[in-house]
Each structure stands twice: as C-alpha cells, then as structure tokens.
Amino acid sequence: MKASLSLVLLSWLTLMAPATGRASERLAVTLEAFRESRTLTIDGVPLLSASVLADFYLQRGYSPAWSKPAPIEALLELVERSDEDGFRPEDFHVERLRALSRPGALAALQGAARLAADIQLSDALLRYAHHTRYGKLDPVVVDQKWNDRAPVPAERLIADMHGALEADDLADFLDGRFQKPFWYQDLKRALSHYAGARHLKELVPLPSGPTLAPGSRGERVALLRERLHVLGYGEPARSDTPDTFDTALSEAVRAFQRGRGLNADGAVGPQTLAAINNPFDAAKIERIRINLERMRWLYEDLPSDYVFVDVADYQAHLVRGREIAWSTRVIVGKEEAQTPMFRDTLDHLVLNPTWTVPVSIQKKLGNVSAKYTLIDRRTGRRVSGGNAADYRRYRVVQQPGADNALGRVKFMFPNRHAVYMHDTPSKALFGRSARALSHGCVRIQNPMKFAELLLEESSWDRTRIDSVLEGTKTRYVNLSERLPVLLYYLTARADADGNLRLRPDVYGRDPSVAEALDRPAQRTRIAAYELVPIGVDAPQPDPALESSVRLTRSDVGDR
C-alpha cells in the first residue's frame, strides 16, 4: 500500500480524535491509520517505515518526541557530516531539519503541521539510526541472488531512537552505539583524503615532461614540491635549492603514490603526474562510497574475534582482538557460480570429509573408480554396478583421502547457500593472481594452520589433528568458541593510513549498488516488533525444544 499524506488529510485525520484534541490522540489516529502502508509520505517527506514509527510513538504513549531545539540541532549536525561516511545529507531530510532547527520554528507550528513536523523529525532520526547501523540499502533488495541478510529488527532501531532522545548528548549516543571495525574506519579515512581534495579541482596542472626522480633539477621540481605540500604531502622547501629533487621530496612522492594506490617508486612519471593533476577523483570516491555501504550491511556488533573472507582480494583473515592475526590466500567462486555475500557463524570443522559429487558433474559420469561410492537415494544404501550418471537414482560420494576434492578438512558455518571453507588437493591454483575458480565455496591455501588456530583453546593441538588425518575416518570437531564468519565482496579497501587499494569488480556488482545509493531509500525489510500485551503471560518454551540442534548439509557438492 502506498500513501501520500498531505497536511489537508492530516488535518482531517485529527478530527477523528476525541474532542479533547490532545496531541497524543491525534498522533495515535494518524499513525495507526497508516501502520500497514508500504510507503508513506507526509507533506512531501517520505517515511522509511510507518510501522516502526507507529511502534516508536506507541511506546511513548503517542506523546510528541520533539519539543526542544537541542536534539534537532544535534541531529542536523550529524546529518550534515554524514557525507564523511559516504551518505548524502539528503538521505535524512536535511532541508526539513534545517527549517525546523531555526529558532522558534517548531514552536510556531500548530495542529496538523506540528504533528507532521514531529513525525518527519522522528523519521530523520530513524533513518540515521538505520543507515549507520545496517546500511542505507537492503542488500537483498539490491541483489537477492548473491546478497543475504535477515530483516533488521525493529526493536533495535526503536531502542536507538529512544536512547538518542533520552541521552544528554544525542550525537554522542548515536556515535557510540557500537564499535565500528578497523577496516571500516580505514576506508572512511581514505574517503576523507579524496573528498578533501574537492576544492583543488581548479588548480593549474603541472607541466608535463621527462620523468622526475631523485637528482632531477629545474622549475618543474619546484612546482612539484609546492603542489605536493598543498595536497598534504611533504614540507615546503627549507633550503636554497627548492628546484632539486632530494630525498625528502622522493618520500613525499612515495606517500602520495601509496595514498593513490600507485606503484610507490618515488619518481614522477606520466601516471603519477596525472594523479597529482587530478587529486579529486570522483570515480574513486564513488567506489569508496559503494564499499562503505557494503561494509555496513554485515558489520553490526562484531565481537573482537571473527573470520573475514575478502572475496574480491582472494584472502581470508582470522581477526583476534580486533586485529588481523593471520591471513591466507583463498580461491572463490567463478563468475557464473559466485561466492555470495553474507554473515554466519563458524561452529565446527570436519576432518577427513567426504565429497558428494555435484549433479552438474554427475550427469557426465560413466563408470566410477573405487574411490567413489554409489548411494541409492531411495534406500540410502551403497550399491555397485549402477549407472553413476543417473543422478535421480544415485548419489556419488568420494571417500576421504588426500585426493578428495575437499582435501583433508572443511570448516562449517551451516547456511542456506551450502557454502563453506575447505582444503583442496589443487594447491597450484593458489599461485594465480586472480583466483575466482571454484563453484562458490572458499578453498584455503593453508587449512591445517587455520584449523590449528581455531582449535588452540581446546584439547585439539596439531599433533592430535595430524593423528586423525593419518587415517580416513571422518571426525566432526566442535569449536569451543563459535566465531562469526563474514564473506564480504569489497572492491575497495584501505590500510591504516587511509591508502586506498582497489580491486577489479570481477562479479560486476558495483553498478547496481552505485545506482541504488543515489536514490532515496524507500524499501527495506524490517522485522516487526514483537509486542506482548500487558496482562498476558508470555508463552513458555517447550522443554523438548530446548536442546541445541545443529543442521549440517552433508549432501552437497564441491562448490
């Protein structure tokens, strides 16, 4: 249901309230009338979620939320700085906030106009709480095939809104709700570097010529030194020879090159000169914005320890204490069988796993060697002499061993995609620079070290792991500490100094995110707030369902 609520209609709705005409009753009538609206606009201002706003005001007894200028001014300040995180201030009704933050503006409003302003301000706060915690876009709406995330909980958003309005400092509360991971802060720093050069677009370009390197002399060297200082690199000349390319200038050139993702050789050739002459790179700013948004999709409330799979960089990282403790190369899905982007929980690993041959491969099989077993799908029993290509009748399973397609260990975080991390006998493939080669799963270059690190707090040391791998018996090992696993598709990252590193968009996913980022966010999946009526006993859990149950898909192929 779509609805556009003008002040005329809002005024009419207020007539439906009891004769007392209290603001709370008028708010209740207005919001409850449009609770189920999929999109709702009040006097030209679109609302993110009418149902969330209705629940927010319900918990307040439908009393207006905005009566003092300080919270409005604080929210406006946050919104005007939101471009530091790659947002547009227009994402949060910035013009309406500016109008209502003027002295006496809110107090001068009466009746329907006053109610409309209160709802619009609350929607701006809701959008800020939502976008900074979960991202402006719903990743599943952007791409339901390759992105995955559950609907965000309404109760968390409403708690953020209440907390912000009850706090002594609204901005401090919203900024301190959760710790943003280091890789988000690094990329945000890179955005600051590039966006800060916006005012430098009109600078006169440095003249072209031969490559400048240590030992070069002349007016071009002096101009280079001055320009790099303007860009924030190096110091102005302190000697009588500003036109000499010295060690200090070479270091300034290297710092600039690192910050722009160039080969840091300390010399100024055509590529570096082009970057110096075009310090404001709109395309790179757009790439940073896209990837800051992607990071927000999965980064909420991360603990200090987790696994980070950087799909587009073909790397996996084990993070301990909010720092990268260990890294390894990985192989990810090819373009037609992409590794999806989602977050789950790593809870066990399997030593000496079996491998069920995917149907796409099984269709092409004839007779199979003794390394494989035919399983009758109807009876679940092993058979011999059947037609392995008959995938409707049989499953083909490869037994554990050094030649098993999954190698000697797989790492399980049960999910609907049947994607996991695993060893591989094809070690030579890790020598390639581009490693989008699998059927969706993540193959690890050094899986035994990964297993050792994951199990180091348990009784499973490397000796015990190796003793199991000497045989062929499959062994399931639960982790003593369940770890979040983040499978991120990021085409831009930065280091701690904000130096940008771009990756090819091998899956071609950037354009759809870029297009959606520049449109108003009007559709997002928010899980309804679960309200328990007062005086009604909450349902008691069934003891039979209290035990921990883990579902693991074993009948899946090498992905």
Side-chain angles (χ1 to χ4, degrees):
M1 173 184 177
K2 296 182 179 180
S4 179
L5 195 60
S6 67
L7 288 181
V8 174
L9 177 55
L10 186 57
S11 299
W12 177 79
L13 282 170
T14 62
L15 296 177
M16 297 171 58
T20 57
R22 291 184 302 176
S24 60
E25 292 163 337
R26 296 196 295 271
L27 267 173
V29 168
T30 300
L31 289 168
E32 292 303 327
F34 290 92
R35 175 183 283 275
E36 301 305 321
S37 297
R38 188 171 182 180
T39 60
L40 176 63
T41 298
I42 291 186
D43 200 28
V45 176
L47 305 184
L48 182 67
S49 172
S51 62
V52 172
L53 289 171
D55 286 334
F56 167 71
Y57 280 102
L58 171 61
Q59 293 182 20
R60 295 179 54 84
Y62 292 107
S63 63
W66 304 83
S67 58
K68 299 178 181 178
I72 302 175
E73 294 167 0
L75 181 58
L76 174 60
E77 183 179 350
L78 285 177
V79 166
E80 289 182 327
R81 290 193 290 109
S82 64
D83 58 350
E84 297 174 4
D85 286 87
F87 296 112
R88 300 180 311 160
E90 293 81 5
D91 293 332
F92 311 100
H93 315 321
V94 64
E95 292 302 329
R96 190 63 177 139
L97 284 171
R98 286 169 180 158
L100 293 173
S101 68
R102 297 186 184 109
L106 188 64
L109 299 177
Q110 301 292 327
R114 176 64 180 83
L115 295 185
D118 209 89
I119 296 171
Q120 291 163 350
L121 288 168
S122 293
D123 187 71
L125 176 59
L126 169 61
R127 286 176 182 269
Y128 192 88
H130 175 273
H131 294 3
T132 53
R133 186 182 281 279
Y134 299 110
K136 172 183 174 179
L137 308 175
D138 185 329
V140 176
V141 173
V142 173
D143 188 340
Q144 65 179 358
K145 183 175 183 180
W146 301 120
N147 295 329
D148 196 5
R149 191 186 69 186
V152 302
E155 57 265 32
R156 178 62 64 88
L157 296 172
I158 293 172
D160 281 352
M161 296 173 70
H162 287 314
L165 292 173
E166 294 166 3
D168 293 333
D169 189 309
L170 179 145
D172 282 350
F173 174 84
L174 289 173
D175 284 340
R177 286 169 295 160
F178 60 95
Q179 184 172 346
K180 296 180 176 65
F182 65 89
W183 29 270
Y184 182 86
Q185 300 288 13
D186 292 344
L187 192 56
K188 182 178 174 181
R189 197 172 294 113
L191 177 60
S192 176
H193 289 176
Y194 280 89
R198 193 183 305 270
H199 66 288
L200 303 174
K201 290 192 295 182
E202 305 306 322
L203 290 176
V204 177
L206 298 182
S208 59
T211 295
L212 298 176
S216 298
R217 295 176 181 274
E219 184 182 3
R220 290 178 62 226
V221 173
L223 292 173
L224 170 65
R225 188 188 303 275
E226 180 182 347
R227 180 60 52 84
L228 286 175
H229 177 61
V230 170
L231 297 178
Y233 299 91
E235 299 294 333
R238 296 180 180 177
S239 67
D240 297 332
T241 57
D243 58 351
T244 299
F245 200 121
D246 55 19
T247 302
L249 181 56
S250 180
E251 287 304 314
V253 171
R254 290 178 192 275
F256 174 84
Q257 289 169 327
R258 286 192 293 268
R260 294 300 188 270
L262 302 171
N263 178 34
D265 59 5
V268 180
Q271 190 175 20
T272 298
L273 181 63
I276 291 173
N277 284 335
N278 296 278
F280 178 72
D281 192 325
K284 288 183 179 177
I285 290 174
E286 184 72 1
R287 185 82 76 91
I288 294 171
R289 291 182 66 236
I290 288 168
N291 287 281
L292 284 171
E293 174 66 10
R294 284 195 179 113
M295 288 177 174
R296 288 187 287 263
W297 292 346
L298 306 178
Y299 79 170
E300 187 224 4
D301 284 350
L302 272 178
S304 59
D305 297 352
Y306 52 90
V307 176
F308 185 108
V309 180
D310 194 344
V311 173
D313 197 39
Y314 312 115
Q315 293 279 330
H317 309 286
L318 178 61
V319 176
R320 296 287 194 190
R322 304 188 190 281
E323 296 180 353
I324 293 177
W326 179 80
S327 301
T328 186
R329 291 185 174 192
V330 299
I331 292 170
V332 300
K334 48 194 173 184
E335 186 175 357
E336 61 270 26
Q338 301 175 16
T339 297
M341 180 169 158
F342 67 98
R343 173 175 169 175
D344 218 291
T345 303
L346 176 62
D347 61 4
H348 72 286
L349 55 85
V350 183
L351 302 175
N352 292 327
T354 59
W355 173 54
T356 299
V357 177
V359 168
S360 59
I361 298 176
Q362 185 180 348
K363 291 177 180 179
K364 304 172 185 178
L365 295 178
N367 296 324
V368 294
S369 70
K371 294 180 180 179
Y372 295 87
T373 302
L374 286 183
I375 306 294
D376 191 316
R377 293 184 183 274
R378 298 176 302 179
T379 65
R381 295 178 179 178
R382 297 184 181 188
V383 298
S384 60
N387 178 11
D390 186 358
Y391 63 92
R392 291 186 176 87
R393 176 72 180 273
Y394 302 111
R395 285 189 296 119
V396 181
V397 179
Q398 186 183 23
Q399 298 306 307
D403 296 330
N404 186 283
L406 305 184
R408 303 309 298 268
V409 59
K410 65 177 179 178
F411 305 87
M412 300 302 295
F413 36 101
N415 57 85
R416 72 176 183 86
H417 304 281
V419 165
Y420 45 88
M421 304 169 75
H422 64 85
D423 183 16
T424 176
S426 304
K427 301 295 187 184
L429 296 177
F430 290 104
R432 299 187 184 183
S433 57
R435 297 187 292 278
L437 305 168
S438 80
H439 290 82
C441 278
V442 180
R443 305 176 192 171
I444 305 177
Q445 183 178 30
N446 196 345
M448 298 311 162
K449 183 62 177 179
F450 189 39
E452 184 180 354
L453 290 170
L454 291 176
L455 297 174
E456 63 184 352
E457 297 299 325
S458 70
S459 60
W460 283 84
D461 58 14
R462 184 58 180 268
T463 301
R464 188 177 179 189
I465 293 172
D466 289 341
S467 67
V468 174
L469 297 180
E470 289 174 358
T472 58
K473 183 178 180 180
T474 300
R475 184 71 181 268
Y476 292 78
V477 183
N478 290 323
L479 300 187
S480 58
E481 174 194 9
R482 291 158 52 96
L483 288 177
V485 178
L486 291 81
L487 280 76
Y488 262 120
Y489 180 76
L490 302 173
T491 58
R493 284 274 306 274
D495 63 20
D497 295 322
N499 298 321
L500 186 63
R501 298 289 183 268
L502 300 179
R503 297 82 174 273
D505 182 14
V506 293
Y507 291 160
R509 296 181 188 175
D510 279 359
S512 60
V513 180
E515 181 183 358
L517 265 180
D518 288 332
R519 297 197 306 263
Q522 292 188 338
R523 180 186 172 199
T524 189
R525 296 169 307 127
I526 299 177
Y529 199 103
E530 296 295 333
L531 295 174
V532 178
I534 297 175
V536 177
D537 293 334
Q540 298 299 311
D542 184 345
L545 301 178
E546 285 295 282
S547 60
S548 176
V549 177
R550 181 180 71 228
L551 299 179
T552 301
R553 283 193 59 175
S554 58
D555 186 15
V556 295
D558 173 26
R559 294 174 50 96

